């Protein structure tokens, strides 16, 4: 029995069914793969094409625990799998791999139909509630409480971001050794002035660079009502989050003109303004309205001139991560001491784990889905070996 019909659980179900096992997949949502479908809204970045030597370190401190699973089902195998489902892929200039359809629904539809052909039973609207005193699985479904005792169980319950899609993290109370779930690839809170927020909420900051603790990331960010989110922020989110937890706040540095040298900017910005207002002066120097707004926010906050230096180094005080409900993914989960090298719970032989509910995090770029697919596959292989022994 597989509990959790996300990418990790469905990949496990496919692996188990291919080995000739009878598989039932349970989810408390009415339909499977809801978070996968939302990931499809951003184009469905399935994996990354960089060599494994560059790919594997993206998992940071837990690389060694994930590496065997990823080597056994690496990006090349995931790409072949997706293409086998009739989904041609392309690799973007950044090396990220997407289906040409740029969405998840055709892939999920083809996958579910293949699983049905393999005899996999999918059952929605049943929430796993833990174990009974005899070690059977307890569920609550439309007809009330249900119990069952499969030969082996795979839990792939996801993290806690976007809980309305099903992964609500309520399982954390049912398992031992859970490292608290925290937002990952998330936005952060910053107190904009009312005037800035009213004018620029929802607007993108394009071709910027963000810097924190000597790490510089180029890309985009988006101004939210309560702070900042978007790709460049997500890339720094783990160290920002951890430093905020330790210090109560951090200062992120924003370079509005990463392609220009301070000298080139100084020639345009630091001379006499004539009769021009500050905003007209900045506009004439080529700054977009949102960039001008940021310079003005910084000056009101007490930042020092010259303008050329400020434009390349706007300080943004971040006070907290944005709520986990809005994060792309989750850090924390079942600790590695709880599972063996086959992803089996040491304290509950016959129960295996896969996907985001394990204690790992990774940046965006396809690393999240790749690890979910690979661990789903590896845990299913663990079940196959367990049952045959
Ligand atoms: C907006 C967004 C965009 C994303 N884009 C990308 C991307 O482009 N590339 C990428 O690599 N990653 C992306 N991700 C992350 C990726 O979607 C997740 O990491 C991945 O879906 C996790 O897979 P999973 O199978 O571990 O869990 P999930 O997909 O979360 O599935 C878990 C399942 O378990 C079910 N469940 C939970 N608790 C119970 C219970 N008690 N009983 C029964 N069922 C339960 C849930 O309903 C859910 O169906 C994105 C995430 C978001 C939110």
């Amino acid at each position: 029995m597989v509990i959790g019909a996300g990418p990790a659980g469905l990949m496990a179900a496919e692996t188990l069914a291919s080995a000739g096992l009878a598989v039932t997949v349970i989810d408390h949502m009415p339909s499977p793969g809801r978070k996968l479908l939302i990931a499809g809204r951003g184009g469905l970045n399935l994996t990354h094409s960089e060599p494994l030597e560059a790919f594997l370190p993206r998992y940071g401190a837990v690389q060694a625990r994930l590496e065997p699973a990823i080597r056994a089902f690496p990006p090349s195998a995931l790409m072949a799998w997706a293409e086998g489902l009739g989904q041609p892929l392309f690799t973007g200039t950044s090396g990220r791999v997407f289906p040409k359809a740029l969405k998840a629904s055709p892939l999920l539809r083809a996958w579910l139909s293949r699983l049905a052909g393999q005899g996999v039973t999918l059952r929605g609207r049943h929430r796993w509630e833990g174990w009974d005193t005899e070690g059977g699985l307890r569920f609550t479904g439309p007809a009330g409480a249900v119990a069952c005792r499969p030969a082996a169980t795979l839990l792939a319950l996801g993290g806690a971001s976007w809980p309305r899609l099903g992964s609500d993290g309520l399982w954390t109370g049912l398992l031992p050794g859970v490292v608290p779930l925290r937002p990952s690839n998330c936005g952060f809170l910053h107190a904009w002035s009312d005037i800035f927020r009213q004018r620029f909420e929802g607007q993108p900051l394009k071709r910027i660079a963000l810097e924190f603790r000597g790490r510089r990331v180029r890309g985009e960010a988006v101004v939210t009502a309560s702070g900042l989110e978007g790709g460049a922020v997500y890339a720094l989110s783990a160290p920002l989050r951890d430093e905020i937890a330790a210090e109560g706040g951090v200062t992120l540095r924003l370079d509005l003109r990463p392609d220009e040298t301070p000298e080139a900017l100084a020639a345009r910005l630091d001379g006499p303004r004539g009769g021009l207002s500050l905003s007209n002066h900045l506009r004439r120097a080529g700054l977009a309205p949102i960039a001008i707004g940021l310079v003005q926010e910084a000056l009101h906050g007490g930042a020092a001139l010259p303008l050329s230096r400020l434009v390349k180094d706007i300080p943004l005080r971040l006070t907290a991560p944005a709520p986990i409900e809005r994060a792309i993914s989750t850090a924390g989960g079942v600790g590695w001491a709880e599972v063996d090298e086959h992803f089996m719970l040491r304290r509950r032989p016959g129960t295996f784990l896969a996907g985001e509910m394990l204690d790992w995090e990774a940046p965006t770029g396809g690393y999240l889905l790749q690890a979910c697919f690979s661990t789903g596959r590896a845990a299913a292989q663990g079940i196959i070996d367990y049952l045959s022994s």
Side-chain angles (χ1 to χ4, degrees):
M1 179 166 283
V2 172
I3 310 174
L10 294 176
M11 182 55 87
E14 182 172 14
T15 310
L16 295 167
S18 302
L21 295 167
V23 188
T24 300
V25 180
I26 307 274
D27 204 290
H28 73 105
M29 298 302 278
S31 61
R34 293 195 172 196
K35 194 175 273 183
L36 184 66
L37 289 171
I38 287 292
R41 270 207 219 154
L44 194 67
N45 181 193
L46 276 174
T47 187
H48 201 287
S49 61
E50 67 196 359
L52 269 187
E53 289 57 45
F55 190 103
L56 290 165
R58 308 286 180 186
Y59 299 98
V62 302
Q63 172 184 341
R65 294 304 301 265
L66 290 170
E67 185 166 340
I70 292 173
R71 284 197 183 274
F73 188 67
S76 56
L78 175 54
M79 291 191 254
W81 171 85
E83 289 186 321
L85 281 169
Q87 297 304 305
L89 306 174
F90 74 95
T91 303
T93 45
S94 59
R96 296 174 181 219
V97 178
F98 300 87
K100 281 191 177 151
L102 282 173
K103 52 185 176 178
S105 45
L107 182 141
L108 183 60
R109 217 173 311 125
W111 195 11
L112 292 174
S113 140
R114 188 156 85 188
L115 288 168
Q118 288 177 307
V120 172
T121 306
L122 265 171
R123 186 159 302 163
R125 297 194 169 86
H126 281 76
R127 175 181 279 280
W128 176 63
E129 306 269 16
W131 290 271
D132 59 27
T133 44
E134 272 85 57
L137 298 166
R138 291 194 301 116
F139 295 93
T140 310
V146 188
C148 72
R149 188 188 273 275
T153 306
L154 188 134
L155 300 174
L157 305 171
S161 72
W162 288 58
R164 66 189 168 82
L165 304 177
S167 23
D168 51 24
L170 294 181
W171 55 263
T172 50
L174 304 174
L175 292 164
V178 177
V179 178
L181 302 183
R182 282 117 55 222
S184 181
N185 295 302
C186 56
F188 287 85
L189 306 189
H190 170 77
W192 303 119
S193 68
D194 288 344
I195 192 160
F196 182 87
R197 183 176 48 248
Q198 280 154 18
R199 195 145 173 232
F200 297 112
E201 178 184 348
Q203 290 202 22
L205 282 160
K206 297 193 173 179
R207 291 185 295 281
I208 54 157
L210 296 176
E211 192 168 321
F212 178 62
R213 287 241 205 101
R215 239 195 98 195
R216 194 172 164 84
V217 175
R218 291 173 74 123
E220 286 191 22
V222 177
V223 169
T224 66
S226 52
L228 209 58
E229 62 183 25
V233 185
Y234 300 159
L236 293 170
S237 63
L240 288 171
R241 177 200 62 215
D242 293 346
E243 180 89 1
I244 288 173
E247 302 293 330
V250 293
T251 300
L252 178 68
R253 322 294 310 191
L254 162 61
D255 183 346
L256 290 164
R257 289 287 175 151
D259 294 318
E260 282 191 78
T261 61
E263 296 71 31
L265 273 173
R268 293 215 315 281
L269 289 173
D270 296 342
R273 277 196 243 152
L276 287 178
S277 67
L278 175 66
S279 59
N280 279 338
H281 176 62
L282 291 168
R283 191 171 306 127
R284 190 173 280 186
L287 266 73
I290 191 167
I292 297 170
L294 282 164
V295 171
Q296 285 173 327
E297 287 275 287
L299 288 171
H300 287 145
L305 294 168
L307 280 173
S308 59
R309 196 166 307 156
L310 190 53
V311 162
K312 289 196 74 64
D313 189 24
I314 303 252
L316 290 171
R317 185 78 188 153
L318 306 181
T319 52
I324 198 164
E325 288 77 12
R326 280 185 67 89
I328 298 289
S329 59
T330 308
V334 175
W336 290 100
E338 297 293 325
V339 291
D340 70 10
E341 68 277 22
H342 304 293
F343 301 100
M344 185 171 79
L345 279 177
R346 292 182 195 280
R347 303 190 207 198
R348 217 173 256 282
T351 299
F352 293 71
L353 305 185
E356 208 179 308
M357 70 181 295
L358 285 159
D359 180 21
W360 58 272
E361 67 177 315
T364 59
Y367 307 104
L368 301 166
L369 282 173
Q370 176 71 53
C372 292
F373 285 121
S374 296
T375 55
R377 195 118 175 161
Q381 191 55 52
I383 290 184
I384 294 165
D385 296 345
Y386 171 78
L387 292 178
S388 58
S389 70

PDB file of all heavy atoms in Angstrom, residues 132-153:
ATOM      1  N   ASP A 132      -3.062   1.228  14.451  1.00  0.00           N
ATOM      2  CA  ASP A 132      -3.811   0.771  15.627  1.00  0.00           C
ATOM      3  C   ASP A 132      -2.875  -0.053  16.513  1.00  0.00           C
ATOM      4  O   ASP A 132      -1.689  -0.241  16.193  1.00  0.00           O
ATOM      5  CB  ASP A 132      -5.087   0.005  15.219  1.00  0.00           C
ATOM      6  CG  ASP A 132      -4.789  -1.220  14.369  1.00  0.00           C
ATOM      7  OD1 ASP A 132      -3.668  -1.772  14.511  1.00  0.00           O
ATOM      8  OD2 ASP A 132      -5.651  -1.630  13.578  1.00  0.00           O
ATOM      9  N   THR A 133      -3.407  -0.536  17.611  1.00  0.00           N
ATOM     10  CA  THR A 133      -2.524  -1.206  18.582  1.00  0.00           C
ATOM     11  C   THR A 133      -1.946  -2.505  18.024  1.00  0.00           C
ATOM     12  O   THR A 133      -0.901  -2.954  18.466  1.00  0.00           O
ATOM     13  CB  THR A 133      -3.286  -1.500  19.891  1.00  0.00           C
ATOM     14  OG1 THR A 133      -4.565  -2.023  19.544  1.00  0.00           O
ATOM     15  CG2 THR A 133      -3.449  -0.240  20.728  1.00  0.00           C
ATOM     16  N   GLU A 134      -2.624  -3.083  17.014  1.00  0.00           N
ATOM     17  CA  GLU A 134      -2.076  -4.315  16.402  1.00  0.00           C
ATOM     18  C   GLU A 134      -1.105  -4.014  15.265  1.00  0.00           C
ATOM     19  O   GLU A 134      -0.634  -4.931  14.588  1.00  0.00           O
ATOM     20  CB  GLU A 134      -3.210  -5.188  15.843  1.00  0.00           C
ATOM     21  CG  GLU A 134      -3.806  -6.162  16.855  1.00  0.00           C
ATOM     22  CD  GLU A 134      -4.881  -5.486  17.676  1.00  0.00           C
ATOM     23  OE1 GLU A 134      -5.832  -4.972  17.062  1.00  0.00           O
ATOM     24  OE2 GLU A 134      -4.731  -5.409  18.906  1.00  0.00           O
ATOM     25  N   GLY A 135      -0.868  -2.753  15.007  1.00  0.00           N
ATOM     26  CA  GLY A 135       0.062  -2.406  13.927  1.00  0.00           C
ATOM     27  C   GLY A 135      -0.622  -2.245  12.588  1.00  0.00           C
ATOM     28  O   GLY A 135       0.049  -2.048  11.565  1.00  0.00           O
ATOM     29  N   GLY A 136      -1.968  -2.309  12.547  1.00  0.00           N
ATOM     30  CA  GLY A 136      -2.679  -2.081  11.286  1.00  0.00           C
ATOM     31  C   GLY A 136      -2.760  -0.581  10.987  1.00  0.00           C
ATOM     32  O   GLY A 136      -2.641   0.256  11.892  1.00  0.00           O
ATOM     33  N   LEU A 137      -2.932  -0.248   9.695  1.00  0.00           N
ATOM     34  CA  LEU A 137      -3.057   1.164   9.304  1.00  0.00           C
ATOM     35  C   LEU A 137      -4.473   1.643   9.579  1.00  0.00           C
ATOM     36  O   LEU A 137      -5.438   0.921   9.317  1.00  0.00           O
ATOM     37  CB  LEU A 137      -2.755   1.311   7.804  1.00  0.00           C
ATOM     38  CG  LEU A 137      -1.349   0.919   7.355  1.00  0.00           C
ATOM     39  CD1 LEU A 137      -1.300   0.787   5.836  1.00  0.00           C
ATOM     40  CD2 LEU A 137      -0.339   1.955   7.832  1.00  0.00           C
ATOM     41  N   ARG A 138      -4.583   2.861  10.084  1.00  0.00           N
ATOM     42  CA  ARG A 138      -5.917   3.435  10.363  1.00  0.00           C
ATOM     43  C   ARG A 138      -6.185   4.563   9.379  1.00  0.00           C
ATOM     44  O   ARG A 138      -5.328   5.419   9.158  1.00  0.00           O
ATOM     45  CB  ARG A 138      -5.957   4.018  11.783  1.00  0.00           C
ATOM     46  CG  ARG A 138      -5.898   2.982  12.887  1.00  0.00           C
ATOM     47  CD  ARG A 138      -6.281   3.588  14.228  1.00  0.00           C
ATOM     48  NE  ARG A 138      -5.413   4.703  14.601  1.00  0.00           N
ATOM     49  CZ  ARG A 138      -5.812   5.965  14.745  1.00  0.00           C
ATOM     50  NH1 ARG A 138      -7.064   6.300  14.561  1.00  0.00           N
ATOM     51  NH2 ARG A 138      -4.960   6.904  15.091  1.00  0.00           N
ATOM     52  N   PHE A 139      -7.381   4.545   8.802  1.00  0.00           N
ATOM     53  CA  PHE A 139      -7.801   5.600   7.877  1.00  0.00           C
ATOM     54  C   PHE A 139      -9.162   6.128   8.286  1.00  0.00           C
ATOM     55  O   PHE A 139      -9.958   5.411   8.890  1.00  0.00           O
ATOM     56  CB  PHE A 139      -7.946   5.048   6.448  1.00  0.00           C
ATOM     57  CG  PHE A 139      -6.655   4.580   5.856  1.00  0.00           C
ATOM     58  CD1 PHE A 139      -6.272   3.242   5.977  1.00  0.00           C
ATOM     59  CD2 PHE A 139      -5.826   5.456   5.184  1.00  0.00           C
ATOM     60  CE1 PHE A 139      -5.077   2.801   5.444  1.00  0.00           C
ATOM     61  CE2 PHE A 139      -4.624   5.008   4.640  1.00  0.00           C
ATOM     62  CZ  PHE A 139      -4.245   3.684   4.774  1.00  0.00           C
ATOM     63  N   THR A 140      -9.427   7.371   7.902  1.00  0.00           N
ATOM     64  CA  THR A 140     -10.791   7.882   7.981  1.00  0.00           C
ATOM     65  C   THR A 140     -11.224   8.196   6.563  1.00  0.00           C
ATOM     66  O   THR A 140     -10.535   8.938   5.839  1.00  0.00           O
ATOM     67  CB  THR A 140     -10.854   9.172   8.818  1.00  0.00           C
ATOM     68  OG1 THR A 140     -10.187   8.924  10.042  1.00  0.00           O
ATOM     69  CG2 THR A 140     -12.286   9.565   9.105  1.00  0.00           C
ATOM     70  N   GLY A 141     -12.330   7.588   6.151  1.00  0.00           N
ATOM     71  CA  GLY A 141     -12.857   7.818   4.805  1.00  0.00           C
ATOM     72  C   GLY A 141     -14.295   8.263   4.871  1.00  0.00           C
ATOM     73  O   GLY A 141     -14.832   8.484   5.968  1.00  0.00           O
ATOM     74  N   PRO A 142     -14.939   8.389   3.728  1.00  0.00           N
ATOM     75  CA  PRO A 142     -16.332   8.861   3.699  1.00  0.00           C
ATOM     76  C   PRO A 142     -17.251   7.967   4.535  1.00  0.00           C
ATOM     77  O   PRO A 142     -18.235   8.433   5.098  1.00  0.00           O
ATOM     78  CB  PRO A 142     -16.703   8.786   2.214  1.00  0.00           C
ATOM     79  CG  PRO A 142     -15.401   8.748   1.495  1.00  0.00           C
ATOM     80  CD  PRO A 142     -14.390   8.137   2.395  1.00  0.00           C
ATOM     81  N   ALA A 143     -16.916   6.664   4.641  1.00  0.00           N
ATOM     82  CA  ALA A 143     -17.789   5.766   5.408  1.00  0.00           C
ATOM     83  C   ALA A 143     -17.318   5.608   6.850  1.00  0.00           C
ATOM     84  O   ALA A 143     -17.756   4.696   7.546  1.00  0.00           O
ATOM     85  CB  ALA A 143     -17.845   4.410   4.707  1.00  0.00           C
ATOM     86  N   GLY A 144     -16.389   6.453   7.274  1.00  0.00           N
ATOM     87  CA  GLY A 144     -15.909   6.383   8.654  1.00  0.00           C
ATOM     88  C   GLY A 144     -14.539   5.740   8.740  1.00  0.00           C
ATOM     89  O   GLY A 144     -13.753   5.777   7.782  1.00  0.00           O
ATOM     90  N   ALA A 145     -14.257   5.134   9.895  1.00  0.00           N
ATOM     91  CA  ALA A 145     -12.916   4.575  10.133  1.00  0.00           C
ATOM     92  C   ALA A 145     -12.734   3.262   9.370  1.00  0.00           C
ATOM     93  O   ALA A 145     -13.657   2.462   9.271  1.00  0.00           O
ATOM     94  CB  ALA A 145     -12.727   4.344  11.623  1.00  0.00           C
ATOM     95  N   VAL A 146     -11.545   3.071   8.828  1.00  0.00           N
ATOM     96  CA  VAL A 146     -11.198   1.855   8.094  1.00  0.00           C
ATOM     97  C   VAL A 146      -9.824   1.431   8.608  1.00  0.00           C
ATOM     98  O   VAL A 146      -8.983   2.278   8.876  1.00  0.00           O
ATOM     99  CB  VAL A 146     -11.071   2.123   6.572  1.00  0.00           C
ATOM    100  CG1 VAL A 146     -10.898   0.827   5.804  1.00  0.00           C
ATOM    101  CG2 VAL A 146     -12.232   2.916   6.032  1.00  0.00           C
ATOM    102  N   ALA A 147      -9.593   0.127   8.723  1.00  0.00           N
ATOM    103  CA  ALA A 147      -8.258  -0.348   9.111  1.00  0.00           C
ATOM    104  C   ALA A 147      -7.814  -1.394   8.098  1.00  0.00           C
ATOM    105  O   ALA A 147      -8.642  -2.071   7.495  1.00  0.00           O
ATOM    106  CB  ALA A 147      -8.304  -0.964  10.502  1.00  0.00           C
ATOM    107  N   CYS A 148      -6.538  -1.524   7.893  1.00  0.00           N
ATOM    108  CA  CYS A 148      -6.058  -2.594   7.020  1.00  0.00           C
ATOM    109  C   CYS A 148      -4.603  -2.883   7.345  1.00  0.00           C
ATOM    110  O   CYS A 148      -3.917  -2.099   8.017  1.00  0.00           O
ATOM    111  CB  CYS A 148      -6.239  -2.245   5.556  1.00  0.00           C
ATOM    112  SG  CYS A 148      -5.128  -1.000   4.995  1.00  0.00           S
ATOM    113  N   ARG A 149      -4.141  -4.031   6.874  1.00  0.00           N
ATOM    114  CA  ARG A 149      -2.797  -4.462   7.210  1.00  0.00           C
ATOM    115  C   ARG A 149      -2.127  -5.005   5.942  1.00  0.00           C
ATOM    116  O   ARG A 149      -2.167  -6.197   5.666  1.00  0.00           O
ATOM    117  CB  ARG A 149      -2.878  -5.547   8.277  1.00  0.00           C
ATOM    118  CG  ARG A 149      -1.548  -5.945   8.861  1.00  0.00           C
ATOM    119  CD  ARG A 149      -1.767  -7.146   9.753  1.00  0.00           C
ATOM    120  NE  ARG A 149      -2.138  -6.734  11.089  1.00  0.00           N
ATOM    121  CZ  ARG A 149      -1.242  -6.404  12.035  1.00  0.00           C
ATOM    122  NH1 ARG A 149       0.042  -6.428  11.777  1.00  0.00           N
ATOM    123  NH2 ARG A 149      -1.639  -6.090  13.237  1.00  0.00           N
ATOM    124  N   PRO A 150      -1.569  -4.107   5.149  1.00  0.00           N
ATOM    125  CA  PRO A 150      -0.908  -4.562   3.921  1.00  0.00           C
ATOM    126  C   PRO A 150       0.411  -5.271   4.238  1.00  0.00           C
ATOM    127  O   PRO A 150       0.946  -5.132   5.342  1.00  0.00           O
ATOM    128  CB  PRO A 150      -0.658  -3.264   3.157  1.00  0.00           C
ATOM    129  CG  PRO A 150      -0.596  -2.220   4.201  1.00  0.00           C
ATOM    130  CD  PRO A 150      -1.459  -2.657   5.337  1.00  0.00           C
ATOM    131  N   ALA A 151       0.946  -5.968   3.239  1.00  0.00           N
ATOM    132  CA  ALA A 151       2.218  -6.669   3.427  1.00  0.00           C
ATOM    133  C   ALA A 151       3.357  -5.681   3.661  1.00  0.00           C
ATOM    134  O   ALA A 151       4.303  -5.976   4.397  1.00  0.00           O
ATOM    135  CB  ALA A 151       2.507  -7.523   2.188  1.00  0.00           C
ATOM    136  N   ALA A 152       3.256  -4.532   3.035  1.00  0.00           N
ATOM    137  CA  ALA A 152       4.251  -3.467   3.250  1.00  0.00           C
ATOM    138  C   ALA A 152       3.578  -2.138   2.945  1.00  0.00           C
ATOM    139  O   ALA A 152       2.607  -2.081   2.181  1.00  0.00           O
ATOM    140  CB  ALA A 152       5.468  -3.664   2.347  1.00  0.00           C
ATOM    141  N   THR A 153       4.106  -1.079   3.542  1.00  0.00           N
ATOM    142  CA  THR A 153       3.493   0.253   3.386  1.00  0.00           C
ATOM    143  C   THR A 153       4.559   1.242   2.945  1.00  0.00           C
ATOM    144  O   THR A 153       5.686   1.212   3.450  1.00  0.00           O
ATOM    145  CB  THR A 153       2.925   0.747   4.735  1.00  0.00           C
ATOM    146  OG1 THR A 153       2.036  -0.241   5.239  1.00  0.00           O
ATOM    147  CG2 THR A 153       2.195   2.075   4.573  1.00  0.00           C
TER     148      THR A 153
END
